[in-house]
Amino acid sequence: MTDPSLLPILLVPDTRLRAKAKPVAAASGDAIRALSDRMLATMYAAPGIGLAAPQVGEMLRLVVIDLQKEESRDPLVLVNPEIVAESAETATREEGCLSLPGQYGEVTRPARVKVRYLDLSGAKREIEGEGLLAACLQHEIDHLDGVLFVDYLSALKRNMLLRKLAKELKLKDRH
Ligand code: K2U
Ligand code: ZN
């Protein structure tokens, strides 16, 4: 029996994954808190360590992240997040995406980022990340601008990956 609060995760090539999300007007509103709770439940069930609102069809600048293991959850909810500083040093890691299931590729990004955002009480916050947190912050904030990790791959690799995904999703629909 799946949790009724789970939201469907959109898959490429859904055009909503390529749209620019709108800023949240009321960060401390009940609607945003309710949506972030459902996004966290959806992310944990996937499982994933990050999820952006456009991935569940909500065109809002809202991201949830939790790098922790199940027994020590530490959810982070970022409203209207923006990268305000990034290191010149880069880091490369294999990334996946819940909207491109089963597809992976090497992505090079700034190794450290500083992100400014509003928390669910509407307070201005700032977070600095490196390693997996830096990659996840950038991966999720990219989603708010319709950017996907495949956009950092060569055209050849991107097209191969998208063709493979389309084939797999067609096979899945058939059964
Ligand atoms: O946004 C999403 O689709 C969730 C992403 C978040 C993410 C991708 C790459 C690097 C960091 C975060 C993932 O699918 S969550 C799955 C996952 C789990 C552990 C490590 C990396 C990715
Ligand atoms: Zn993603």
Side-chain angles (χ1 to χ4, degrees):
M1 195 276 280
T2 55
D3 175 342
S5 71
L6 297 190
L7 296 161
I9 295 179
L10 303 183
L11 303 179
V12 162
D14 192 307
T15 54
R16 286 168 289 181
L17 291 168
R18 289 306 196 172
K20 194 166 167 52
K22 293 177 179 48
V24 170
S28 56
D30 294 346
I32 289 299
R33 179 177 297 279
L35 175 57
S36 61
D37 283 344
R38 296 187 70 183
M39 284 173 61
L40 281 165
T42 303
M43 181 190 77
Y44 291 133
I49 56 172
L51 194 66
Q55 291 182 275
V56 292
E58 292 289 341
M59 304 316 291
L60 290 171
R61 302 189 78 80
L62 174 64
V63 161
V64 296
I65 289 175
D66 191 342
L67 306 188
Q68 299 306 314
K69 297 268 172 290
E70 185 157 352
E71 51 280 356
S72 62
R73 287 200 166 145
D74 178 18
L76 185 58
V77 178
L78 303 110
V79 179
N80 301 336
E82 48 186 327
I83 294 173
V84 293
E86 55 186 42
S87 62
E89 186 197 348
T90 62
T92 301
R93 100 182 18 248
E94 182 162 84
E95 294 195 11
C97 181
L98 297 174
S99 296
L100 292 105
Q103 311 305 321
Y104 301 90
E106 290 237 316
V107 178
T108 299
R109 300 177 187 273
R112 286 179 307 289
V113 287
K114 187 186 286 187
V115 171
R116 205 167 285 160
Y117 66 97
L118 299 179
D119 64 18
L120 285 175
S121 66
K124 286 195 170 80
R125 308 294 290 259
E126 209 167 87
I127 182 172
E128 272 203 69
E130 59 180 7
L132 183 56
L133 179 57
C136 189
L137 284 164
Q138 294 174 84
H139 179 110
E140 301 311 334
I141 293 172
D142 270 350
H143 271 300
L144 304 182
D145 296 320
V147 173
L148 301 173
F149 83 86
V150 292
D151 300 336
Y152 297 96
L153 309 181
S154 69
L156 185 73
K157 177 99 169 77
R158 176 168 55 253
N159 294 332
M160 258 168 44
L161 191 151
L162 293 174
R163 258 201 311 275
K164 195 160 150 271
L165 177 65
K167 205 165 95 232
E168 282 166 16
L169 293 180
K170 222 194 329 281
L171 278 176
K172 214 165 82 119
D173 289 349
R174 196 166 298 154
H175 295 122

